[in-house]
Amino acid sequence: MEDDHTAELFADVDALLAQVAQPLPPADERERLRKNSGLTRQQIATALRTSADLVEAWETGLVEPSGTQRAAYVRLLQGLLTQDRARSKAISSPTAGPRVPDQAPASPTTAPAPAPAPIRAVTPVPAARATSARTESTTVAGDDFPAGPLAVLAFTDALTAHLADGTTRECPAATIVEVLHWALDAGVGQPALATFGRAADPLIVLTPSANDYLGLPPELADRAGLRLAADHPWCAAIIADGWKFTHSGFGPWARIYQPAQGRQRRSVQLAVIAWGALSTGGWNPPSDLTAGQLARWLGTYAERVLTPRGSTAVCGQELMTSLRPPTRPVRDGSRWKAGTNSGALWHPIAPAPPEAHDAHPLAQGRHPADAMDEEAWDWHRPLTADEAAYPHVVGLDINLAFVAAAGSLDVGLNTPPEHVIRPWFDKKSPGAWYCDLTHIAHDPRLPSPFTPTGEPPNGPAWYATPTLAYAVELGATIHPVEAYLRRDPGRYLDPWYKRLREAYLATMNDLGVTTDMSQSDFLNAMSTLPQQDPYLLSLLAAIKATGKGGIGKLRAGPRDPHRAPFEAWPALNTPTWRPDIRAAVISRARVNMHRKMLKTAEHTGRYPLAVLSDCALYPAQQPTALDAVPHGPDPTGVQGTFRLGASPGFAKEEGVQTMTWYEHLHSEGANPARYIKHAGTS
């Protein structure tokens, strides 16, 4: 439930959205209006409670105001424009001489014709033709991007662009090169998600019919590299027209760009369905969607998460950067330059030796015991005599467990890890700690919170900060032997968690599942979820895959099968390759779940039988999750325990089976938590 502060903030936001109904005028117009009124930048800065430097940045278009400042700035400029027009009318009155028009006439001088392009010129884009607008579409095109975030191209009698708002436009392109120009001219794109961020590239999705019309091959011959050969005629034509490819080339997802013109970014994202763009990588929209329905499906994802630009894992990683842009404009004397943005990741950082991936150059010659092993649980145990008498076993699965663990988590930002001997433990210091936890008492009915196997540690090991902080919470005295610490903590993933949380809850709400439901009502609603709209179910799955995949990308391994052992790979050169952050997220998710297990045991006397990642199995008298979770005066459950509900961090029923089923799998050495979801009901 939202607290009073959040409700107040939401009310302010609603009021702000209502106020910001007009777009800002062009940057040069902002400066003209100010000068015509005789105001200085400092006067405007004082009124808007900001700096004159930032006002100058608004007037040059280097930075766009946001929030309440944007609303106030729009109001000011509208007032200045009204006064400016009044002055013009006064000048144009009969007593004041000839009338001066509101807009200056076009210059009679004819601009020189541009040089012919290597590929034939693009036909002018016709006006939009609205067809079959659907009321269920929630994607709204912005003033800067009137066509919305993306277009799905399909060919019947003509090449048609299906937009996210349910409308269509003719696409006059006859070649893939012309499609690129059309994408930039048609107003396709999405505004930046954060201050100092950049707008999303237009996404053009090519259906198989569009592929055929444009002359692209129906499938990729290079099944290993998944890209067109660099000497393919269409690659050559694109390059001849002044475009470039990223290192991934022209594949299912391709970013094709031209050198920027001033501050204007010229880049287009292509997704080729026939080459597998939407059938792999976490995407699985219903196969029977029409081009228009697919545009709305992708548009809803774009509105709630971001414009797709690769696999869902890639989108999860890109969302981090979009919400925490690495740079911002800063004043350097009389000019502006790119500076670092507070709270973001600015540059690649080498991991501490225990944090390094097994394939990393730093892992060469490393003993396995010297590697940090912060991973999710895979644990199961034999039944006690009392537990064997229960007829059922119930799976409880945590909603967005790892995404929720990322919220408000302090991680290292941009300072390389500092090696410290005999450090004093500080739970506010992100890092890797070498410590002996074997002296901590272990209840065999619970998985150990310190190891992914759930077995108690058998010697000193490397741990992330949340794991050691939990040991202290349990009452243990710890003495780290050494550590690699990061001295610049920040909550880098907090906006990432919040955006995915809202996307998840909005989609659950569309499916009829809300956060204010009682545990029993939630369970009833979830029991009918598989029969709900496949359109929404696949969207929900894509959102969940975005969170999970984004965390995985923080420690992405090498993909080149010809790479030499311990040779660096491209992902290491990105600021978001941060295995330390991934370790901290998984560590926190694991201890969060252990804390729920302890609290649940206090209320019910029951302990988990098996755990796999974020799913725990409990004994039950009745074949329902309601039998396994605590109940109290609050219909949404008991705080701190496993609670059934839609919110991230709450649980849902993963499956129900007989205790005989559990005993059989356990005796075979298999983890029953791995199979309960698809095993059917008892």
Side-chain angles (χ1 to χ4, degrees):
M1 297 179 65
E2 308 289 0
D3 56 24
D4 292 341
H5 177 65
T6 304
E8 182 180 349
L9 284 176
F10 283 6
D12 291 344
V13 168
D14 291 340
L16 184 60
L17 289 173
Q19 186 174 353
V20 186
Q22 297 283 337
L24 284 167
D28 55 353
E29 178 71 359
R30 304 169 201 174
E31 183 177 21
R32 185 189 70 80
L33 289 171
R34 176 183 60 79
K35 287 182 176 180
N36 283 0
S37 68
L39 294 175
T40 66
R41 291 193 179 110
Q42 185 57 57
Q43 287 175 306
I44 292 179
T46 301
L48 299 183
R49 300 178 185 178
T50 184
S51 66
D53 287 344
L54 194 55
V55 173
E56 181 183 357
W58 295 345
E59 291 182 350
T60 59
L62 191 62
V63 177
E64 289 293 297
S66 61
T68 54
Q69 282 186 335
R70 179 183 177 91
Y73 193 43
V74 168
R75 183 182 180 88
L76 171 66
L77 293 175
Q78 287 175 337
L80 295 180
L81 179 60
T82 300
Q83 294 179 7
D84 191 62
R85 288 175 173 170
R87 283 193 296 270
S88 297
K89 289 181 179 179
I91 293 173
S92 63
S93 65
T95 57
R99 182 179 185 275
V100 178
D102 290 344
Q103 295 183 349
S107 171
T109 304
T110 303
I119 306 298
R120 68 184 179 83
V122 180
T123 307
V125 179
R129 183 177 76 242
T131 62
S132 63
R134 293 279 294 273
T135 57
E136 67 268 25
S137 174
T138 57
T139 302
V140 179
D143 296 297
D144 294 332
F145 303 103
L150 55 93
V152 176
L153 298 188
F155 180 80
T156 49
D157 297 329
L159 189 62
T160 303
H162 298 263
L163 305 182
D165 64 357
T167 63
T168 63
R169 291 186 180 187
E170 274 188 29
C171 178
T175 68
I176 189 64
V177 175
E178 292 179 350
V179 167
L180 299 177
H181 286 284
W182 176 84
L184 294 177
D185 296 338
V188 181
Q190 185 177 30
L193 298 182
T195 304
F196 309 127
R198 68 186 186 194
D201 296 335
L203 170 62
I204 305 299
V205 181
L206 301 179
T207 63
S209 64
N211 247 38
D212 293 342
Y213 173 74
L214 296 170
L216 292 173
E219 61 182 21
L220 292 171
D222 181 2
R223 303 310 301 166
L226 287 178
R227 67 185 71 182
L228 280 184
D231 59 355
H232 189 280
W234 275 125
C235 291
I238 290 170
I239 293 172
D241 195 51
W243 300 83
K244 296 182 179 181
F245 294 97
T246 62
H247 70 274
S248 58
F250 194 175
W253 290 91
R255 189 172 74 83
I256 307 174
Y257 64 97
Q258 289 182 334
Q261 298 180 358
R263 299 189 192 93
Q264 184 179 8
R265 178 179 169 87
R266 296 181 61 81
S267 180
V268 178
Q269 180 81 51
L270 294 180
V272 186
I273 293 177
W275 298 351
L278 294 177
S279 57
T280 59
W283 301 108
N284 190 27
S287 58
D288 59 349
L289 293 183
T290 65
Q293 290 169 335
L294 179 61
R296 289 191 291 275
W297 189 87
L298 291 170
T300 305
Y301 179 91
E303 180 193 24
R304 294 180 180 180
V305 185
L306 85 168
T307 300
R309 56 194 70 177
S311 68
T312 53
V314 167
C315 290
Q317 185 180 43
E318 290 289 334
L319 182 62
M320 298 176 189
T321 304
S322 297
L323 294 170
R324 294 281 201 189
T327 61
R328 65 181 181 90
V330 296
R331 189 65 178 266
D332 181 19
S334 61
R335 52 191 290 271
W336 291 88
K337 67 176 185 179
T340 54
N341 189 21
S342 177
L345 302 181
W346 307 331
H347 50 75
I349 293 180
E355 298 165 346
H357 190 285
D358 289 342
H360 195 280
L362 288 175
Q364 187 169 9
R366 182 181 66 187
H367 190 279
D370 292 330
M372 187 163 67
D373 192 19
E374 291 285 15
E375 298 293 341
W377 273 315
D378 186 351
W379 170 86
H380 55 107
R381 64 173 175 84
L383 304 172
T384 65
D386 290 341
E387 290 166 345
Y390 281 84
H392 306 286
V393 61
V394 174
L396 301 176
D397 183 76
I398 305 296
N399 303 325
L400 296 184
F402 299 102
V403 174
S408 71
L409 173 66
D410 282 321
V411 299
L413 295 178
N414 298 289
T415 301
E418 176 188 347
H419 190 208
V420 183
I421 302 298
R422 299 286 179 188
W424 182 264
F425 177 69
D426 180 4
K427 67 180 182 180
K428 296 182 180 180
S429 294
W433 309 76
Y434 191 68
C435 190
D436 190 347
L437 301 181
T438 57
H439 62 287
I440 300 178
H442 172 67
D443 187 333
R445 296 172 297 179
L446 289 167
S448 169
F450 310 125
T451 66
T453 64
E455 299 301 322
N458 55 14
W462 288 96
Y463 300 101
T465 299
T467 301
L468 284 195
Y470 189 57
V472 174
E473 181 182 326
L474 293 176
T477 301
I478 60 173
H479 301 285
V481 177
E482 59 178 316
Y484 289 91
L485 304 180
R486 289 173 167 80
R487 303 298 191 180
D488 61 338
R491 296 182 174 182
Y492 174 70
L493 292 176
D494 204 38
W496 182 82
Y497 154 70
K498 290 176 180 176
R499 182 141 180 105
L500 287 175
R501 176 185 184 273
E502 294 308 312
Y504 175 81
L505 291 178
T507 309
M508 289 291 282
N509 185 74
D510 290 344
L511 287 162
V513 185
T514 60
T515 57
D516 58 353
M517 286 181 163
S518 67
Q519 293 193 106
S520 58
D521 287 345
F522 169 76
L523 196 60
N524 290 333
M526 291 297 290
S527 67
T528 64
L529 200 65
Q531 289 77 49
Q532 298 297 324
D533 188 352
Y535 176 102
L536 291 171
L537 292 175
S538 58
L539 178 64
L540 184 70
I543 293 169
K544 292 163 66 176
T546 301
K548 185 175 181 179
I551 293 171
K553 276 286 187 180
L554 294 168
R555 192 177 180 263
R559 302 175 63 183
D560 183 1
H562 305 296
R563 167 185 163 275
F566 302 107
E567 180 184 356
W569 59 97
L572 305 188
N573 298 321
T574 61
T576 49
W577 193 84
R578 292 293 298 271
D580 58 300
I581 296 180
R582 175 185 177 274
V585 170
I586 293 176
S587 165
R588 195 182 195 208
R590 198 177 61 240
V591 301
N592 281 351
M593 196 167 181
H594 195 272
R595 194 179 288 112
K596 292 180 188 296
M597 292 173 181
L598 283 178
K599 194 75 172 177
T600 298
E602 291 177 10
H603 284 264
T604 67
R606 301 184 205 178
Y607 292 81
L609 306 177
V611 183
L612 181 73
S613 187
D614 51 1
C615 175
L617 269 54
Y618 273 85
Q621 295 289 357
Q622 301 296 325
T624 171
L626 286 171
D627 187 78
V629 299
H631 297 267
D634 187 338
T636 63
V638 178
Q639 188 171 3
T641 69
F642 284 100
R643 293 197 282 175
L644 302 177
S647 294
F650 280 50
K652 62 179 180 294
E653 184 179 280
E654 187 74 347
V656 180
Q657 265 298 330
T658 64
M659 193 60 76
T660 303
W661 172 88
Y662 177 90
E663 290 183 287
H664 172 71
L665 283 181
H666 172 72
S667 66
E668 294 289 326
N671 187 343
R674 185 182 302 278
Y675 305 102
I676 195 165
K677 181 176 183 178
H678 302 291
T681 56
S682 58

